[in-house]
Amino acid sequence: MLRARTQMVTSRRIAEPRDIADVVLFLASERSGYVKGQELPVDSGLCRNVMSPVPRPQ
């Protein structure tokens, strides 16, 4: 199961707490001052890789 999961993400590894903490620190810093109303998935592309094959209505 772990191997299959790691193959689904672009980084080829499971996130560590530091990965999440880095994003939280960025969002809490002045550097993110111009970021407004965005979703910011921290999943190494998992959502995109899982959802891209799903057909979407045109």
Side-chain angles (χ1 to χ4, degrees), residues 3-4 8 12 14-15 18 29 34 37 42 45-46 52-53:
R3 185 174 182 184
M8 296 176 72
R12 299 294 187 244
I14 299 299
R18 177 66 190 239
S29 75
Y34 209 71
V42 184
L46 179 65
S52 63

Side-chain angles (χ1 to χ4, degrees), residues 18-29:
R18 177 66 190 239
D19 296 312
I20 307 303
D22 286 343
V23 176
V24 171
L25 287 173
F26 166 72
L27 291 172
S29 75

Side-chain angles (χ1 to χ4, degrees), residues 8-10 41-50:
M8 296 176 72
V9 296
T10 56
V42 184
D43 66 359
S44 189
L46 179 65
C47 288
R48 183 198 56 173
N49 292 343
V50 169

